């Protein structure tokens, strides 16, 4: 247990860094560094006014549920952040609308009536039911051995349409990862996540919620409790020494500051680039985690939605083939349905569209990165606990779990436990 009154540098102000700084500041002196001009990371709320009256929309972190986000729910309750129920319907549109369906009801499943008599489509529906029924047995069979999702599908004899028009679209929409990377996911990790989140059952599913007035509401409340927040901080290096940790900032007025400890709440590659004296073990863990860059467009161009309005869902996977035959990940979030927007105009957030939306419809563009959970990343997660605090450095981030807000928060809670400030509501 670390004694109170430590001087701690927290680097990165997404959910992991914000939560770390917020809770550490109760018994320690904290400096929060953020390279961007704003706090929040993927909690990125912007104001738009498509009909003249401004309102807030989220463009990164969008939803959470009442099953698998206990810490986030408790944090929101402590911060008095208001939330409300949202819709998590899912639709698929392939090859410029040639193949479309949604899981909302039978009418949307058979949005193209010709599918009623199509053996391949009916086979896909049977495969969905079979995959869902076998999920727990498959998880037990995959635990402890390096079986990829690709291997599981091949060994299970699942059809190509099940993979291309259901499982990969669902997973690509959730993780913002390419279809090729999705197939490389460890099967056990994928199945465990889907089971825990109730994604493989029709009834008794979790309630999904979103933040009233945008996720910046919780960011603002945390920021108001912090004494030393440094936005736009370009750090050059972090080095451990006999006195503690030396943090060097770059820019026209370089600065060196000494701390007792450092919490890295940045993406793994960014952490490795900053940590100049990384041990062999730290280097092995941090270098094992890859990220996918994703460009998000906020717009009102409905050509980036399914062609059949009946199929429009909260989450919409748009599948199109590249020149090399592979498929790119493209997801359009219909924010009107997800966030109960006070307007009639359609507001859409699209990740990686095959072509940018009509410029006249664009309300913003945002660049995000999401971790890729292949086998090396999962192996790195298992090794991470043995590194925490061994050399005055702790590591947090959504990359330590499944990549979501709850994972980022839980990673922060695991870090601050060593500093004696774990709140009563923490669920580890």
């Amino acid at each position: 247990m670390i004694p109170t009154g430590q001087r701690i540098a927290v680097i990165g102000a997404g959910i992991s860094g914000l939560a770390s700084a917020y809770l550490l500041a109760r018994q320690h002196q904290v400096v929060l560094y953020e390279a961007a001009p704003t706090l929040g990371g993927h909690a990125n709320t912007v104001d738009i006014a498509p009909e003249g009256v401004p309102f807030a929309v989220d463009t990164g972190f969008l939803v959470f549920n009442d099953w698998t986000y206990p810490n986030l729910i408790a944090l929101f309750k402590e911060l008095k952040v208001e939330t409300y129920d949202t819709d998590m319907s899912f639709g698929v549109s392939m090859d410029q609308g040639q193949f479309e369906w949604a899981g909302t009801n039978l009418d949307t499943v058979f949005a193209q009536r010709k599918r009623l008599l199509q053996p391949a489509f009916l086979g896909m529906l049977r495969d969905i039911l079979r995959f869902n029924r076998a999920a727990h047995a498959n998880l037990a069979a995959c635990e402890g051995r390096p079986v990829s999702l690709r291997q599981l599908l091949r060994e299970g004899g699942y059809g190509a349409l099940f993979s291309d028009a259901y499982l990969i679209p669902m997973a690509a929409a959730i993780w913002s990862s390419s279809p090729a990377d999705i197939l490389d996911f460890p099967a056990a990790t994928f199945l465990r996540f889907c089971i825990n989140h109730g994604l493989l059952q029709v009834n008794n599913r979790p309630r999904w919620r979103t933040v009233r007035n945008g996720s910046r509401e919780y960011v603002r409340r945390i920021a108001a409790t912090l004494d030393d927040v440094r936005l736009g901080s370009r750090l050059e290096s972090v080095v451990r020494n006999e006195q503690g940790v030396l943090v060097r900032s770059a820019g026209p007025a370089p600065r060196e500051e000494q701390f007792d400890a450092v919490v890295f709440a940045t993406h793994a590659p960014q952490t490795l680039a900053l940590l100049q004296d990384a041990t062999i073990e730290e280097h092995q863990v941090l270098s094992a985690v890859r990220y996918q860059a994703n460009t998000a467009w906020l717009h009102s161009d409905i050509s980036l939605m399914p062609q059949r309005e009946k199929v429009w869902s909260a989450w919409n996977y748009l599948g199109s083939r590249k020149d090399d035959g592979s498929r790119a990940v493209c997801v359009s979030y219909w924010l009107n349905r997800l966030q109960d927007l006070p307007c009639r105009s359609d507001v859409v957030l699209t990740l990686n569209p095959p072509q940018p939306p009509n410029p006249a419809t664009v309300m913003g563009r945002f660049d995000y990165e999401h971790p890729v959970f292949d086998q090396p990343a999962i192996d790195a997660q298992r090794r991470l606990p043995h590194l925490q605090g061994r050399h005055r450095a702790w590591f947090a981030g959504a990359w330590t779990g499944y990549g979501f807000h709850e994972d980022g928060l839980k990673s922060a809670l695991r870090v601050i436990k060593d500093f004696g400030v774990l709140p009563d509501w923490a669920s580890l």
Side-chain angles (χ1 to χ4, degrees):
M1 188 69 68
I2 308 299
T4 60
Q6 300 287 295
R7 190 161 191 261
I8 304 169
V10 177
I11 303 174
I15 177 63
S16 304
L18 285 169
S20 296
Y22 170 64
L23 295 166
L24 286 170
R26 296 177 177 180
Q27 293 187 18
H28 303 277
Q29 182 185 352
V30 175
V31 176
L32 177 60
Y33 292 96
E34 171 54 50
T38 58
L39 301 174
H42 286 201
N44 185 16
T45 309
V46 299
D47 291 314
I48 61 173
E51 296 171 358
V53 179
F55 56 86
V57 296
D58 274 321
T59 66
F61 164 64
L62 296 172
V63 294
F64 64 98
N65 70 58
D66 61 349
W67 282 15
T68 57
Y69 287 71
N71 293 300
L72 193 66
I73 290 171
L75 177 64
F76 284 173
K77 182 178 180 181
E78 180 172 296
L79 295 171
K80 296 181 172 56
V81 171
E82 185 181 355
T83 66
Y84 62 95
D85 286 349
T86 189
D87 179 357
M88 279 292 286
S89 54
F90 181 65
V92 174
S93 178
M94 311 284 283
D95 300 322
Q96 291 76 50
Q98 294 182 42
F99 182 99
E100 292 190 333
W101 75 289
T104 308
N105 51 48
L106 282 176
D107 188 32
T108 62
V109 169
F110 295 102
Q112 293 174 285
R113 292 297 190 252
K114 63 182 180 181
R115 306 296 176 196
L116 281 164
L117 301 175
Q118 188 178 73
F121 187 79
L122 298 177
M124 181 194 81
L125 299 181
R126 286 193 294 270
D127 276 347
I128 291 173
L129 297 176
R130 182 164 67 93
F131 185 83
N132 293 353
R133 285 194 304 267
H136 286 88
N138 282 334
L139 176 59
C142 292
E143 289 283 17
R145 62 191 188 101
V147 179
S148 70
L149 186 57
R150 178 184 285 102
Q151 290 174 274
L152 177 67
L153 296 178
R154 184 173 61 247
E155 292 171 4
Y158 293 98
L161 199 61
F162 166 79
S163 176
D164 291 343
Y166 170 69
L167 198 66
I168 288 177
M170 179 179 70
I174 291 170
W175 278 285
S176 302
S177 293
S178 72
D181 284 332
I182 291 296
L183 289 171
D184 286 335
F185 272 30
T189 300
F190 178 86
L191 290 167
R192 194 180 303 111
F193 175 87
C194 290
I195 290 170
N196 290 344
H197 284 73
L199 298 178
L200 304 180
Q201 59 199 58
V202 176
N203 300 312
N204 189 31
R205 305 186 78 169
R207 289 170 56 216
W208 289 87
R209 300 182 65 81
T210 191
V211 178
R212 180 78 63 188
N213 298 321
S215 56
R216 68 181 174 198
E217 289 298 314
Y218 90 76
V219 175
R220 287 171 170 171
R221 285 166 168 77
I222 288 180
T225 70
L226 303 177
D227 294 329
D228 197 342
V229 177
R230 304 185 189 178
L231 294 173
S233 295
R234 292 195 303 111
L235 298 186
E236 184 177 275
S237 65
V238 175
V239 179
R240 278 77 62 98
N241 54 32
E242 291 183 3
Q243 292 73 41
V245 179
L246 186 66
V247 176
R248 295 189 180 97
S249 59
R255 184 177 180 182
E256 290 187 352
E257 288 188 81
Q258 190 73 32
F259 294 89
D260 298 304
V262 59
V263 176
F264 287 100
T266 43
H267 294 173
Q270 296 168 340
T271 298
L272 186 57
L274 281 175
L275 189 55
Q276 298 296 292
D277 59 348
T279 66
I280 293 174
E281 294 84 359
E282 288 169 340
H283 189 280
Q284 289 172 340
V285 167
L286 295 171
S287 64
V289 184
R290 297 187 296 119
Y291 283 74
Q292 162 147 340
N294 293 297
T295 301
W297 293 85
L298 184 64
H299 63 92
S300 58
D301 185 350
I302 62 172
S303 71
L304 290 171
M305 290 286 286
Q307 289 191 8
R308 294 162 182 81
E309 194 166 344
K310 181 185 294 187
V311 176
W312 287 20
S313 306
W315 297 44
N316 303 273
Y317 177 90
L318 309 180
S320 59
R321 292 197 180 275
K322 296 180 178 179
D323 292 339
D324 62 2
S326 65
R327 289 195 181 274
V329 56
C330 174
V331 183
S332 281
Y333 305 96
W334 189 21
L335 298 188
N336 303 69
R337 179 166 287 185
L338 269 172
Q339 299 187 352
D340 191 24
L341 304 184
C343 69
R344 293 184 178 180
S345 304
D346 292 306
V347 181
V348 181
L349 181 73
T350 301
L351 289 188
N352 307 325
Q355 66 281 331
N358 184 330
T361 71
V362 173
M363 291 171 268
R365 172 183 165 165
F366 313 92
D367 293 317
Y368 296 110
E369 289 187 334
H370 297 87
V372 175
F373 293 101
D374 53 14
Q375 192 62 53
I378 300 303
D379 293 341
Q381 290 178 355
R382 296 193 181 104
R383 298 179 62 183
L384 180 62
H386 302 290
L387 303 182
Q388 298 285 31
R390 284 178 58 184
H391 301 282
R392 301 180 184 264
W394 282 258
F395 307 93
W399 64 270
T400 67
Y402 292 110
F404 303 102
H405 244 55
E406 177 74 7
D407 302 294
L409 175 54
K410 185 180 286 188
S411 74
L413 294 172
R414 288 175 176 145
V415 165
I416 67 167
K417 182 180 179 182
D418 289 349
F419 292 84
V421 290
L422 194 67
D424 294 337
W425 48 257
S427 175
L428 299 181

